[in-house]
Amino acid sequence: MQFFILQAGNVNNATNYLPIVLQLLFAIGFIVTMMGLTHYFGPTRSTSDKLKNFESGIEIKGNARQPMAIKYFLVAILFVLFDVEVIFFYPYAVNFRALGWNGFAAVVMFVALFIAGFIYIIKKGALDWED
């Protein structure tokens, strides 16, 4: 019993990480085993239908290497802006009194950067859906 009490007090002991290492090794072994079994026992018949490119049940039209419209990326940036805004505003709203003026200054700086990104998105025309 004395051994376990000493182990619990020393958090940085390497033996405390043994369960994590064992679980990681088991997971990797399981993945390798399953992939090997499916490769060994799985069917290997290649037909023209299986070799045809297929995505989401829709026949492919055009070349996949053609340039993509920049609006896709601008909408993605817009989503990230709004997502990050919500993530950071909630903890500030809960703790705004405890954060004091330093917290207020940090939020003002955050809002200024957010508005700068939002203005960039608007100037690039990400919200204009008409061509």
Side-chain angles (χ1 to χ4, degrees):
M1 188 63 155
Q2 185 70 18
F3 176 75
F4 293 115
I5 292 171
L6 291 175
Q7 288 290 9
N10 190 359
V11 177
N12 291 326
N13 194 346
T15 58
N16 289 337
Y17 294 105
L18 182 63
I20 296 171
V21 171
L22 289 176
Q23 185 175 8
L24 183 65
L25 289 175
F26 179 76
I28 291 171
F30 181 76
I31 291 169
V32 169
T33 303
M34 288 298 123
M35 288 180 72
L37 288 174
T38 56
H39 181 70
Y40 182 70
F41 289 117
T44 56
R45 293 181 298 267
S46 296
T47 62
S48 62
D49 287 337
K50 287 185 179 180
L51 295 175
K52 215 165 55 166
N53 291 335
F54 181 79
E55 182 161 346
S56 302
I58 301 171
E59 289 289 329
I60 294 176
K61 296 175 186 161
N63 185 5
R65 306 297 185 267
Q66 66 188 8
M68 185 178 288
I70 190 69
K71 285 190 178 205
Y72 172 78
F73 298 107
L74 293 176
V75 171
I77 291 171
L78 188 64
F79 171 75
V80 169
L81 281 173
F82 281 114
D83 195 39
V84 170
E85 175 200 14
V86 170
I87 289 170
F88 284 115
F89 272 144
Y90 182 74
Y92 175 73
V94 171
N95 298 318
F96 74 99
R97 288 187 187 181
L99 295 174
W101 287 105
N102 288 335
F104 180 72
V107 167
V108 167
M109 185 172 60
F110 172 72
V111 169
L113 289 171
F114 174 75
I115 290 174
F118 191 66
I119 290 170
Y120 171 78
I121 291 292
I122 289 175
K123 285 189 176 188
K124 288 294 183 179
L127 300 177
D128 298 333
W129 291 102
E130 300 295 322
D131 287 330

